[in-house]
Amino acid sequence: MHQISHMNCQSSAKCGILEANHFSPVFQCQLPTIPSSNRVVVSRSQLSLPNIKRNNGVVCNKMLETSVSSEASIKAQVQKLVDLLHVCADEELLDESKAIHGYILKSDFSDNNLLLLLNHVSHAYSKCSEFGSCQVLFDKMLQKNVFSWTVMIVGSIENGFFYDGFKYFREMLEYGMLPDGFAYSAALRLCVALGSLELCKMVHAQIVVRGFTSNVIINTSLLNMYAKLGNVEASSLVFNSMSERNAVSWNTIISGLTANGLHLEAFNRFLEMKNKGFSPDVYTLVGVMKAVGSLGDIGKGKVVHSCVCELGMDSNVVVGTALIDMYAECGALCEAKTVFDSNFSNCGVNMPWNAMISGYTRCRCSQEALQLYVNMCKKNVRSDIYTYCSLFDAIAESKCSKFLMEVHAAVLKSEYDNISLSVQNAIADAYAKCGSLEGVRKIFDRMEQRDIVSWTTLVTAYSQGSQWEAAIAVFSQMREEGCAVNQYTLASTLVACASLCYLEYGRQLHGLQYKTGLQNESCIESALVDMYAKCGSITEAEKVFGCISDADAVSWTAMISGYAQHGSVFCALELFKKMEQLGIKPTAVTLLSILFACSHGGLVKEGFHFFWSMGKRYNLVPEMQHYACVVDLLGRVGLLIEAFEFIGKMPVEPDEMVWQSLLSACRIHRDSELGEIAAKKILSVCPQYSATYVLLSNTYMETGNFREGIDLRNVMKKQGVKKEPGFSWVTINGKAHKFYASDQEHPEKKSIYLMLEELRVDMKALGYKPDFRSVLTSGD
């Protein structure tokens, strides 16, 4: 009779647990076996020792060569061959399958027995991925039955020849062969593989006409089919119409609802299943826990946990792993840790460990994740791809370079970097987050294969590491090698363009956004607004912002920041007001942009209003940049004492950025006394920071203290502090040309200096007078 495999369990991409959309029943029609009370069960060892000798496919079992004298012995011999072919299929033994096939062809079996045996040979070839031989055999068979066609349909699916499979199903009908329940189950699998809802409906119609609507196996296949093709409504209708249900049916509807994002409905079906008297099994529990985790509802999670305990399955590795993952998804790490400590702290299987490490990483408890990995190693629990992917995410979060190198060494020893691109990508991302651009580049260059994640990681690393030209160069290389871009690659490259003021290149990326169908990605839209604003084209920034259908806080912030940078203070404030009216909650960056606008507009009262409202109104904690911006706000209008007092009242220790804002204001307003205090504070932390010496020296000079200004420059030289030269650049034909003071390196320097001299003469003729107050007479 036909055998139907129950369920295939696959590991989660994150920590190796069962995923709801993977463990739904996949009905795989297996070979029929002859009903016989005398059926012989053949083991793998029995097959390889006396029964078949692997010598050019020659069958040398004397029992098979014995002459057949009775019907009973014929039946026994046929059964023996069927058993052998089953083992060949299970073990994927192609040579042995061919040997048995040869023996069958040489023997004188009746038509019925020959048909049965050739069906099993066909199945064995299919399982051995020898589908071509399977097709040849099928074409030469003089007789065929339902099972013959079913073998070909299933074989087509398993070997990836989906259109061939549907051709066999169609030919089966044209041949006048009426499918049975198992053939229809195979056809439904084929529809899923082809992704065709229309074909599914056609097969479903045949099932209704043929009277199979009461068949629980076919109905469950229909449930699975509609769910996998995203038609949850049809799946539910089939389920509701079923007169007979079993545990597999319930599991299928629960997993189907979960896979399609209907998590609450999946949980309710679980409760209904229990109320109907069906006992949940491993697959039921894993499916519903996946749904509850997605809901993030700890209350529902505890209901499921209670059911697990009632069934005595809390120590089951698969169920326990799903429990840990569910609680972590709900943000309930204490409950997850309790499950782990109670049942799996001494477990030698890595699935629960992976789930707990992944949970810590997901909840940003990176130190706990790293410590758990150390404990895992001490207990000699084997790490795998899922362990390393979660672990490197935790390392990236903690920015622990030393631990990164140690774990990387462990991966090299385990050779996981050679077999898993996902691990290599995770390692590269960890190096990027730890600030090691050299490390990212080495990992990238060693990759034998690269995907979009690999390229995006490198582009983003260079962009965030201020290596903007390198980021654009990598992006260009990526395009040349034919790799498709995604929203994150484009956004990171736009950041590089904004930082380099590469307006033309940015416009090309804007066009590429439309060509690749990414025009509605919010991260790209925000990056475009920022790029146009920083490149000086505030009009184009406004156009992009105006086309955003559902702008989020990041997009609003980008536009507000653009107005602030261009000195359009009141435009920035007005836009912020509109943002609030629409109910979009500002972020800390939004408030920083508003403070920046107030600072450049000299709006002290408004600036303080926004600063104090951060905590009271927006529930945001001011960061060091916000404090520095307030100091700059006060300093720009000459309120230096107030700025100094504000620093003294800060609830956190001010860093060099805050003092630098005060020092800059002191230079503008010529307050050398307060400037000295600010400079000493900065140099106590950053003694090699050249800008501090230069600012204080210029402050002395502007207050008439030339000797102190010169002395400070001399101190700067004696201590080996070198001032980073300022530079300007211009982009011509996609290439940036940098210019430093007294630059003698550029190949067109003569033409450049000639043009500068012409400009100087024109400026002088128009009455421009240079300000020499900060120019030192010597030692500069």
Side-chain angles (χ1 to χ4, degrees):
M1 57 185 295
H2 286 281
Q3 305 274 328
I4 297 179
S5 65
H6 189 87
M7 296 180 181
N8 286 330
C9 307
Q10 297 183 11
S11 296
S12 162
K14 290 187 177 179
C15 56
I17 69 165
L18 293 174
E19 292 280 3
N21 59 329
H22 289 303
F23 66 78
S24 59
V26 180
F27 293 86
Q28 299 182 346
C29 296
Q30 298 181 348
L31 282 178
T33 56
I34 298 177
S36 173
S37 58
N38 298 319
R39 183 173 186 272
V40 181
V41 178
V42 183
S43 68
R44 173 69 177 81
S45 60
Q46 287 175 310
L47 175 65
S48 60
L49 290 176
N51 293 333
I52 295 179
K53 182 179 180 181
R54 302 184 183 188
N55 182 13
N56 298 322
V58 178
V59 178
C60 61
N61 185 345
K62 293 182 179 180
M63 182 201 74
L64 298 181
E65 297 175 355
T66 303
S67 61
V68 180
S69 60
S70 67
E71 183 179 348
S73 59
I74 292 174
K75 185 176 181 180
Q77 186 183 17
V78 170
Q79 183 62 63
K80 181 70 173 179
L81 287 168
V82 168
D83 290 332
L84 291 175
L85 287 167
H86 265 293
V87 176
C88 289
D90 293 340
E91 300 282 344
E92 297 183 9
L93 304 175
L94 180 58
D95 289 340
E96 287 80 350
S97 299
K98 289 180 178 179
I100 298 173
H101 186 190
Y103 173 79
I104 292 170
L105 294 177
K106 291 178 182 178
S107 303
D108 187 20
F109 287 106
S110 65
D111 290 345
N112 289 338
N113 286 333
L114 182 61
L115 175 59
L116 172 64
L117 291 169
L118 291 180
N119 281 340
H120 280 277
V121 172
S122 179
H123 175 262
Y125 282 150
S126 175
K127 287 292 185 180
C128 293
S129 301
E130 190 72 11
F131 195 61
S133 298
C134 181
Q135 290 176 307
V136 171
L137 173 58
F138 179 79
D139 291 339
K140 290 183 178 180
M141 289 171 63
L142 299 177
Q143 288 184 307
K144 299 180 179 74
N145 59 13
V146 174
F147 185 62
S148 309
W149 297 96
T150 304
V151 167
M152 298 308 296
I153 296 170
V154 174
S156 299
I157 298 169
E158 293 176 343
N159 289 275
F161 301 106
F162 306 131
Y163 288 102
D164 285 350
F166 204 80
K167 181 196 73 171
Y168 284 121
F169 181 70
R170 188 193 65 212
E171 289 178 356
M172 178 184 183
L173 298 175
E174 293 173 352
Y175 195 75
M177 195 69 64
L178 295 177
D180 60 8
F182 303 103
Y184 277 126
S185 292
L188 291 173
R189 282 186 61 205
L190 188 61
C191 294
V192 173
L194 288 170
S196 174
L197 190 59
E198 288 303 313
L199 289 178
C200 290
K201 291 178 180 178
M202 291 167 62
V203 177
H204 190 179
Q206 280 203 30
I207 289 170
V208 173
V209 171
R210 291 288 316 284
F212 282 102
T213 52
S214 60
N215 187 309
V216 67
I217 296 173
I218 292 182
N219 280 328
T220 305
S221 294
L222 282 167
L223 289 177
N224 186 60
M225 174 196 70
Y226 281 123
K228 285 195 171 182
L229 292 176
N231 194 336
V232 187
E233 183 179 355
S235 184
S236 297
L237 286 173
V238 172
F239 183 81
N240 293 334
S241 67
M242 290 174 67
S243 58
E244 180 187 353
R245 297 169 184 162
N246 56 20
V248 180
S249 308
W250 285 99
N251 290 345
T252 303
I253 192 65
I254 290 171
S255 63
L257 291 167
T258 302
N260 285 279
L262 300 174
H263 307 300
L264 182 59
E265 289 84 346
F267 178 76
N268 290 336
R269 286 292 189 183
F270 167 74
L271 297 179
E272 183 185 353
M273 176 185 182
K274 287 186 63 184
N275 292 336
K276 296 287 186 180
F278 289 90
S279 180
D281 58 16
V282 171
Y283 310 103
T284 319
L285 294 170
V286 173
V288 73
M289 282 190 275
K290 178 68 177 177
V292 171
S294 298
L295 287 171
D297 191 328
I298 189 173
K300 290 181 173 58
K302 290 184 175 179
V303 170
V304 180
H305 191 179
S306 176
C307 177
V308 170
C309 294
E310 289 173 6
L311 295 169
M313 299 178 71
D314 45 329
S315 60
N316 179 286
V317 172
V318 174
V319 175
T321 300
L323 264 176
I324 295 168
D325 193 61
M326 177 194 71
Y327 277 129
E329 286 277 3
C330 294
L333 281 181
C334 291
E335 285 80 359
K337 189 174 184 300
T338 299
V339 173
F340 179 82
D341 291 342
S342 301
N343 301 290
F344 306 111
S345 57
N346 293 312
C347 179
V349 180
N350 61 22
M351 287 171 59
W353 293 87
N354 289 348
M356 198 66 234
I357 291 173
S358 175
Y360 279 135
T361 303
R362 191 184 300 125
C363 295
R364 296 182 176 273
C365 297
S366 54
Q367 292 301 322
E368 289 83 351
L370 301 185
Q371 184 57 54
L372 189 60
Y373 171 73
V374 172
N375 296 341
M376 181 178 177
C377 293
K378 288 179 180 177
K379 294 184 181 292
N380 295 318
V381 180
R382 182 177 175 274
S383 300
D384 61 14
I385 293 172
Y386 309 110
T387 317
Y388 288 128
C389 285
S390 295
L391 186 63
F392 282 115
D393 285 345
I395 293 172
E397 174 71 23
S398 65
K399 296 179 172 58
C400 184
S401 300
K402 184 175 182 295
F403 199 77
L404 168 59
M405 289 185 283
E406 291 175 356
V407 180
H408 188 189
V411 174
L412 292 174
K413 290 179 181 179
S414 66
E415 298 183 353
Y416 270 114
D417 64 326
N418 294 327
I419 63 174
S420 173
L421 181 58
S422 60
V423 172
Q424 294 180 74
N425 287 336
I427 296 171
D429 182 63
Y431 273 109
K433 297 290 175 56
C434 291
S436 176
L437 292 178
E438 182 182 358
V440 183
R441 186 78 215 200
K442 284 181 178 179
I443 298 297
F444 181 83
D445 290 340
R446 288 173 184 168
M447 289 179 177
E448 294 182 3
Q449 292 183 327
R450 297 164 183 151
D451 61 6
I452 181 61
V453 178
S454 313
W455 288 99
T456 302
T457 299
L458 185 61
V459 172
T460 304
Y462 277 132
S463 185
Q464 293 179 346
S466 300
Q467 299 290 325
W468 302 304
E469 290 180 343
I472 292 174
V474 172
F475 180 81
S476 299
Q477 180 187 352
M478 172 186 173
R479 294 286 294 156
E480 288 173 4
E481 294 191 15
C483 183
V485 302
N486 63 14
Q487 62 269 37
Y488 307 111
T489 326
L490 271 177
S492 295
T493 312
L494 283 167
V495 170
C497 291
S499 303
L500 293 169
C501 294
Y502 279 12
L503 180 59
E504 288 306 315
Y505 200 96
R507 283 173 175 156
Q508 292 177 33
L509 293 179
H510 193 177
L512 182 62
Q513 176 200 18
Y514 280 89
K515 288 181 180 179
T516 52
L518 298 172
Q519 58 268 29
N520 294 321
E521 295 292 341
S522 59
C523 63
I524 298 179
E525 292 170 331
S526 303
L528 278 170
V529 172
D530 185 62
M531 183 273 297
Y532 280 125
K534 285 182 177 177
C535 289
S537 183
I538 194 68
T539 303
E540 287 182 274
E542 289 174 329
K543 286 181 180 177
V544 173
F545 180 76
C547 292
I548 301 176
S549 57
D550 188 20
D552 58 10
V554 179
S555 301
W556 284 88
T557 300
M559 195 66 243
I560 291 169
S561 175
Y563 280 134
Q565 291 165 6
H566 283 258
S568 302
V569 177
F570 293 103
C571 288
L573 296 178
E574 184 65 27
L575 195 61
F576 181 79
K577 183 179 179 181
K578 289 181 180 178
M579 178 182 176
E580 284 193 303
Q581 289 173 348
L582 291 173
I584 300 172
K585 184 180 178 181
T587 66
V589 180
T590 316
L591 269 299
L592 184 64
S593 298
I594 285 294
L595 288 173
F596 181 82
C598 292
S599 174
H600 283 252
L603 305 177
V604 177
K605 182 179 178 181
E606 291 83 351
F608 266 96
H609 165 74
F610 288 117
F611 178 78
W612 295 121
S613 65
M614 283 187 69
K616 295 178 181 178
R617 184 171 181 178
Y618 306 114
N619 198 28
L620 296 170
V621 178
E623 299 173 11
M624 201 63 69
Q625 288 177 307
H626 297 92
Y627 288 109
C629 211
V630 172
V631 172
D632 183 68
L633 169 66
L634 294 169
R636 280 178 183 268
V637 296
L639 300 175
L640 301 181
I641 300 300
E642 288 82 351
F644 182 70
E645 291 175 349
F646 176 80
I647 294 173
K649 294 177 182 178
M650 283 175 56
V652 293
E653 185 67 24
D655 66 0
E656 62 276 9
M657 177 171 42
V658 175
W659 290 110
Q660 192 75 15
S661 297
L662 180 61
L663 179 57
S664 297
C666 290
R667 188 198 71 78
I668 295 171
H669 297 285
R670 304 180 184 181
D671 189 333
S672 58
E673 184 179 347
L674 201 55
E676 283 182 0
I677 297 174
K680 287 179 181 178
K681 292 288 187 179
I682 299 169
L683 294 175
S684 65
V685 181
C686 305
Q688 297 296 309
Y689 193 25
S690 63
T692 304
Y693 291 96
V694 174
L695 279 171
L696 184 58
S697 174
N698 289 343
T699 305
Y700 284 138
M701 298 292 294
E702 293 188 13
T703 56
N705 296 326
F706 292 99
R707 175 50 52 193
E708 291 187 37
I710 294 172
D711 289 345
L712 187 58
R713 292 290 178 109
N714 291 332
V715 170
M716 180 179 172
K717 289 183 178 180
K718 287 179 183 179
Q719 294 184 353
V721 179
K722 293 185 179 181
K723 179 182 180 297
E724 294 182 10
F727 64 88
S728 301
W729 74 90
V730 63
T731 304
I732 301 175
N733 295 327
K735 182 179 180 181
H737 298 263
K738 291 183 179 180
F739 304 97
Y740 297 87
S742 302
D743 194 345
Q744 298 295 320
E745 299 298 324
H746 199 278
E748 301 292 333
K749 62 180 180 181
K750 290 184 179 180
S751 300
I752 293 170
Y753 281 117
L754 180 62
M755 177 60 70
L756 287 174
E757 180 59 25
E758 291 178 6
L759 289 173
R760 188 187 68 80
V761 173
D762 291 343
M763 290 165 64
K764 187 176 181 180
L766 292 171
Y768 172 76
K769 294 182 179 181
D771 185 355
F772 293 106
R773 288 179 298 174
S774 298
V775 179
L776 299 178
T777 56
S778 64
D780 193 15

